[in-house]
PDB file of all heavy atoms in Angstrom:
ATOM      1  N   VAL B 277     -87.825-237.270  12.201  1.00  0.00           N
ATOM      2  CA  VAL B 277     -86.466-236.802  12.421  1.00  0.00           C
ATOM      3  C   VAL B 277     -86.612-235.592  13.325  1.00  0.00           C
ATOM      4  O   VAL B 277     -87.466-234.736  13.086  1.00  0.00           O
ATOM      5  CB  VAL B 277     -85.794-236.367  11.103  1.00  0.00           C
ATOM      6  CG1 VAL B 277     -84.355-235.992  11.358  1.00  0.00           C
ATOM      7  CG2 VAL B 277     -85.884-237.448  10.073  1.00  0.00           C
ATOM      8  N   GLN B 278     -85.812-235.531  14.381  1.00  0.00           N
ATOM      9  CA  GLN B 278     -85.991-234.453  15.357  1.00  0.00           C
ATOM     10  C   GLN B 278     -84.623-233.906  15.723  1.00  0.00           C
ATOM     11  O   GLN B 278     -83.674-234.663  15.897  1.00  0.00           O
ATOM     12  CB  GLN B 278     -86.667-235.044  16.594  1.00  0.00           C
ATOM     13  CG  GLN B 278     -87.135-234.029  17.606  1.00  0.00           C
ATOM     14  CD  GLN B 278     -87.720-234.722  18.834  1.00  0.00           C
ATOM     15  OE1 GLN B 278     -87.052-235.509  19.499  1.00  0.00           O
ATOM     16  NE2 GLN B 278     -88.965-234.432  19.146  1.00  0.00           N
ATOM     17  N   TRP B 279     -84.503-232.587  15.794  1.00  0.00           N
ATOM     18  CA  TRP B 279     -83.226-232.011  16.225  1.00  0.00           C
ATOM     19  C   TRP B 279     -83.450-230.652  16.862  1.00  0.00           C
ATOM     20  O   TRP B 279     -84.478-230.021  16.639  1.00  0.00           O
ATOM     21  CB  TRP B 279     -82.265-231.901  15.038  1.00  0.00           C
ATOM     22  CG  TRP B 279     -82.659-230.895  14.007  1.00  0.00           C
ATOM     23  CD1 TRP B 279     -82.295-229.583  13.943  1.00  0.00           C
ATOM     24  CD2 TRP B 279     -83.514-231.121  12.872  1.00  0.00           C
ATOM     25  NE1 TRP B 279     -82.862-228.986  12.847  1.00  0.00           N
ATOM     26  CE2 TRP B 279     -83.611-229.904  12.175  1.00  0.00           C
ATOM     27  CE3 TRP B 279     -84.203-232.233  12.378  1.00  0.00           C
ATOM     28  CZ2 TRP B 279     -84.372-229.768  11.013  1.00  0.00           C
ATOM     29  CZ3 TRP B 279     -84.967-232.087  11.222  1.00  0.00           C
ATOM     30  CH2 TRP B 279     -85.029-230.873  10.558  1.00  0.00           C
ATOM     31  N   ARG B 280     -82.492-230.267  17.697  1.00  0.00           N
ATOM     32  CA  ARG B 280     -82.509-228.899  18.227  1.00  0.00           C
ATOM     33  C   ARG B 280     -81.693-228.050  17.268  1.00  0.00           C
ATOM     34  O   ARG B 280     -80.646-228.487  16.811  1.00  0.00           O
ATOM     35  CB  ARG B 280     -81.883-228.861  19.612  1.00  0.00           C
ATOM     36  CG  ARG B 280     -82.727-229.552  20.659  1.00  0.00           C
ATOM     37  CD  ARG B 280     -82.823-228.664  21.886  1.00  0.00           C
ATOM     38  NE  ARG B 280     -83.635-229.289  22.918  1.00  0.00           N
ATOM     39  CZ  ARG B 280     -84.716-228.716  23.434  1.00  0.00           C
ATOM     40  NH1 ARG B 280     -85.115-227.535  22.989  1.00  0.00           N
ATOM     41  NH2 ARG B 280     -85.398-229.306  24.375  1.00  0.00           N
ATOM     42  N   PRO B 281     -82.136-226.828  16.969  1.00  0.00           N
ATOM     43  CA  PRO B 281     -81.403-226.011  16.003  1.00  0.00           C
ATOM     44  C   PRO B 281     -80.130-225.450  16.623  1.00  0.00           C
ATOM     45  O   PRO B 281     -79.972-224.235  16.781  1.00  0.00           O
ATOM     46  CB  PRO B 281     -82.388-224.911  15.627  1.00  0.00           C
ATOM     47  CG  PRO B 281     -83.307-224.820  16.778  1.00  0.00           C
ATOM     48  CD  PRO B 281     -83.369-226.182  17.404  1.00  0.00           C
ATOM     49  N   VAL B 282     -79.233-226.334  16.984  1.00  0.00           N
ATOM     50  CA  VAL B 282     -77.980-225.902  17.590  1.00  0.00           C
ATOM     51  C   VAL B 282     -76.885-226.886  17.190  1.00  0.00           C
ATOM     52  O   VAL B 282     -77.124-228.078  17.067  1.00  0.00           O
ATOM     53  CB  VAL B 282     -78.117-225.791  19.133  1.00  0.00           C
ATOM     54  CG1 VAL B 282     -78.360-227.140  19.770  1.00  0.00           C
ATOM     55  CG2 VAL B 282     -76.892-225.146  19.750  1.00  0.00           C
ATOM     56  N   ALA B 283     -75.705-226.346  16.921  1.00  0.00           N
ATOM     57  CA  ALA B 283     -74.534-227.174  16.646  1.00  0.00           C
ATOM     58  C   ALA B 283     -73.415-226.641  17.527  1.00  0.00           C
ATOM     59  O   ALA B 283     -73.559-225.572  18.132  1.00  0.00           O
ATOM     60  CB  ALA B 283     -74.156-227.079  15.179  1.00  0.00           C
ATOM     61  N   PHE B 284     -72.318-227.373  17.629  1.00  0.00           N
ATOM     62  CA  PHE B 284     -71.257-226.946  18.530  1.00  0.00           C
ATOM     63  C   PHE B 284     -69.929-226.850  17.804  1.00  0.00           C
ATOM     64  O   PHE B 284     -69.608-227.692  16.965  1.00  0.00           O
ATOM     65  CB  PHE B 284     -71.160-227.890  19.730  1.00  0.00           C
ATOM     66  CG  PHE B 284     -72.406-227.878  20.555  1.00  0.00           C
ATOM     67  CD1 PHE B 284     -73.379-228.843  20.381  1.00  0.00           C
ATOM     68  CD2 PHE B 284     -72.630-226.855  21.463  1.00  0.00           C
ATOM     69  CE1 PHE B 284     -74.552-228.809  21.117  1.00  0.00           C
ATOM     70  CE2 PHE B 284     -73.792-226.815  22.207  1.00  0.00           C
ATOM     71  CZ  PHE B 284     -74.758-227.785  22.029  1.00  0.00           C
ATOM     72  N   SER B 285     -69.153-225.813  18.141  1.00  0.00           N
ATOM     73  CA  SER B 285     -67.887-225.582  17.452  1.00  0.00           C
ATOM     74  C   SER B 285     -66.696-226.040  18.288  1.00  0.00           C
ATOM     75  O   SER B 285     -65.565-225.733  17.959  1.00  0.00           O
ATOM     76  CB  SER B 285     -67.742-224.100  17.119  1.00  0.00           C
ATOM     77  OG  SER B 285     -67.638-223.351  18.295  1.00  0.00           O
ATOM     78  N   GLN B 286     -66.978-226.715  19.395  1.00  0.00           N
ATOM     79  CA  GLN B 286     -65.886-227.277  20.194  1.00  0.00           C
ATOM     80  C   GLN B 286     -66.316-228.638  20.703  1.00  0.00           C
ATOM     81  O   GLN B 286     -67.514-228.894  20.861  1.00  0.00           O
ATOM     82  CB  GLN B 286     -65.591-226.396  21.415  1.00  0.00           C
ATOM     83  CG  GLN B 286     -64.859-225.123  21.099  1.00  0.00           C
ATOM     84  CD  GLN B 286     -64.765-224.223  22.328  1.00  0.00           C
ATOM     85  OE1 GLN B 286     -64.754-224.704  23.440  1.00  0.00           O
ATOM     86  NE2 GLN B 286     -64.696-222.935  22.096  1.00  0.00           N
ATOM     87  N   GLU B 287     -65.323-229.480  20.979  1.00  0.00           N
ATOM     88  CA  GLU B 287     -65.659-230.796  21.490  1.00  0.00           C
ATOM     89  C   GLU B 287     -66.381-230.652  22.833  1.00  0.00           C
ATOM     90  O   GLU B 287     -67.255-231.427  23.175  1.00  0.00           O
ATOM     91  CB  GLU B 287     -64.389-231.628  21.649  1.00  0.00           C
ATOM     92  CG  GLU B 287     -64.648-233.081  21.374  1.00  0.00           C
ATOM     93  CD  GLU B 287     -63.376-233.841  21.081  1.00  0.00           C
ATOM     94  OE1 GLU B 287     -62.356-233.197  20.775  1.00  0.00           O
ATOM     95  OE2 GLU B 287     -63.403-235.068  21.193  1.00  0.00           O
ATOM     96  N   GLN B 288     -65.963-229.622  23.593  1.00  0.00           N
ATOM     97  CA  GLN B 288     -66.627-229.289  24.845  1.00  0.00           C
ATOM     98  C   GLN B 288     -67.922-228.555  24.480  1.00  0.00           C
ATOM     99  O   GLN B 288     -67.938-227.345  24.366  1.00  0.00           O
ATOM    100  CB  GLN B 288     -65.702-228.381  25.665  1.00  0.00           C
ATOM    101  CG  GLN B 288     -66.210-228.025  27.054  1.00  0.00           C
ATOM    102  CD  GLN B 288     -66.171-229.214  27.980  1.00  0.00           C
ATOM    103  OE1 GLN B 288     -65.209-229.968  27.982  1.00  0.00           O
ATOM    104  NE2 GLN B 288     -67.229-229.395  28.755  1.00  0.00           N
ATOM    105  N   ALA B 289     -68.983-229.323  24.254  1.00  0.00           N
ATOM    106  CA  ALA B 289     -70.227-228.705  23.803  1.00  0.00           C
ATOM    107  C   ALA B 289     -70.864-227.931  24.945  1.00  0.00           C
ATOM    108  O   ALA B 289     -71.188-228.499  25.964  1.00  0.00           O
ATOM    109  CB  ALA B 289     -71.176-229.778  23.300  1.00  0.00           C
ATOM    110  N   GLY B 290     -70.977-226.639  24.763  1.00  0.00           N
ATOM    111  CA  GLY B 290     -71.605-225.827  25.801  1.00  0.00           C
ATOM    112  C   GLY B 290     -72.127-224.567  25.173  1.00  0.00           C
ATOM    113  O   GLY B 290     -72.090-224.400  23.948  1.00  0.00           O
ATOM    114  N   ARG B 291     -72.596-223.643  26.015  1.00  0.00           N
ATOM    115  CA  ARG B 291     -73.202-222.440  25.475  1.00  0.00           C
ATOM    116  C   ARG B 291     -72.181-221.571  24.745  1.00  0.00           C
ATOM    117  O   ARG B 291     -72.518-220.861  23.804  1.00  0.00           O
ATOM    118  CB  ARG B 291     -73.863-221.649  26.598  1.00  0.00           C
ATOM    119  CG  ARG B 291     -75.290-221.288  26.256  1.00  0.00           C
ATOM    120  CD  ARG B 291     -76.019-220.864  27.480  1.00  0.00           C
ATOM    121  NE  ARG B 291     -75.646-219.531  27.926  1.00  0.00           N
ATOM    122  CZ  ARG B 291     -76.028-218.425  27.327  1.00  0.00           C
ATOM    123  NH1 ARG B 291     -76.766-218.457  26.248  1.00  0.00           N
ATOM    124  NH2 ARG B 291     -75.682-217.255  27.812  1.00  0.00           N
ATOM    125  N   ALA B 292     -70.910-221.625  25.192  1.00  0.00           N
ATOM    126  CA  ALA B 292     -69.905-220.771  24.580  1.00  0.00           C
ATOM    127  C   ALA B 292     -69.610-221.199  23.144  1.00  0.00           C
ATOM    128  O   ALA B 292     -69.178-220.394  22.334  1.00  0.00           O
ATOM    129  CB  ALA B 292     -68.629-220.802  25.404  1.00  0.00           C
ATOM    130  N   SER B 293     -69.837-222.473  22.849  1.00  0.00           N
ATOM    131  CA  SER B 293     -69.491-222.963  21.516  1.00  0.00           C
ATOM    132  C   SER B 293     -70.742-223.249  20.685  1.00  0.00           C
ATOM    133  O   SER B 293     -70.665-223.893  19.647  1.00  0.00           O
ATOM    134  CB  SER B 293     -68.636-224.222  21.632  1.00  0.00           C
ATOM    135  OG  SER B 293     -69.364-225.232  22.290  1.00  0.00           O
ATOM    136  N   ALA B 294     -71.902-222.787  21.139  1.00  0.00           N
ATOM    137  CA  ALA B 294     -73.146-223.103  20.433  1.00  0.00           C
ATOM    138  C   ALA B 294     -73.288-222.267  19.169  1.00  0.00           C
ATOM    139  O   ALA B 294     -73.057-221.065  19.177  1.00  0.00           O
ATOM    140  CB  ALA B 294     -74.332-222.874  21.358  1.00  0.00           C
ATOM    141  N   LEU B 295     -73.631-222.936  18.070  1.00  0.00           N
ATOM    142  CA  LEU B 295     -73.892-222.258  16.809  1.00  0.00           C
ATOM    143  C   LEU B 295     -75.364-222.430  16.487  1.00  0.00           C
ATOM    144  O   LEU B 295     -75.952-223.455  16.809  1.00  0.00           O
ATOM    145  CB  LEU B 295     -73.101-222.910  15.675  1.00  0.00           C
ATOM    146  CG  LEU B 295     -71.617-223.130  15.857  1.00  0.00           C
ATOM    147  CD1 LEU B 295     -71.078-223.877  14.653  1.00  0.00           C
ATOM    148  CD2 LEU B 295     -70.937-221.796  15.984  1.00  0.00           C
ATOM    149  N   SER B 296     -75.921-221.450  15.815  1.00  0.00           N
ATOM    150  CA  SER B 296     -77.307-221.621  15.390  1.00  0.00           C
ATOM    151  C   SER B 296     -77.326-222.572  14.197  1.00  0.00           C
ATOM    152  O   SER B 296     -76.305-222.828  13.571  1.00  0.00           O
ATOM    153  CB  SER B 296     -77.903-220.282  14.996  1.00  0.00           C
ATOM    154  OG  SER B 296     -77.183-219.777  13.900  1.00  0.00           O
ATOM    155  N   CYS B 297     -78.486-223.113  13.918  1.00  0.00           N
ATOM    156  CA  CYS B 297     -78.608-224.076  12.828  1.00  0.00           C
ATOM    157  C   CYS B 297     -79.870-223.741  12.047  1.00  0.00           C
ATOM    158  O   CYS B 297     -80.955-223.757  12.606  1.00  0.00           O
ATOM    159  CB  CYS B 297     -78.660-225.472  13.451  1.00  0.00           C
ATOM    160  SG  CYS B 297     -79.347-226.743  12.432  1.00  0.00           S
ATOM    161  N   GLN B 298     -79.692-223.362  10.794  1.00  0.00           N
ATOM    162  CA  GLN B 298     -80.858-222.982   9.980  1.00  0.00           C
ATOM    163  C   GLN B 298     -81.234-224.116   9.038  1.00  0.00           C
ATOM    164  O   GLN B 298     -80.364-224.683   8.373  1.00  0.00           O
ATOM    165  CB  GLN B 298     -80.562-221.745   9.134  1.00  0.00           C
ATOM    166  CG  GLN B 298     -80.791-220.438   9.857  1.00  0.00           C
ATOM    167  CD  GLN B 298     -79.546-220.005  10.607  1.00  0.00           C
ATOM    168  OE1 GLN B 298     -78.444-220.258  10.146  1.00  0.00           O
ATOM    169  NE2 GLN B 298     -79.730-219.365  11.745  1.00  0.00           N
ATOM    170  N   ALA B 299     -82.532-224.425   8.982  1.00  0.00           N
ATOM    171  CA  ALA B 299     -82.998-225.455   8.064  1.00  0.00           C
ATOM    172  C   ALA B 299     -83.721-224.777   6.919  1.00  0.00           C
ATOM    173  O   ALA B 299     -84.531-223.878   7.139  1.00  0.00           O
ATOM    174  CB  ALA B 299     -83.917-226.420   8.787  1.00  0.00           C
TER     175      ALA B 299
END
Side-chain angles (χ1 to χ4, degrees):
Chain B
V277 184
Q278 190 183 58
W279 68 91
R280 291 227 180 237
V282 65
F284 297 97
S285 66
Q286 285 173 29
E287 214 161 343
Q288 184 71 42
R291 231 164 75 74
S293 62
L295 309 176
S296 62
C297 160
Q298 275 88 34

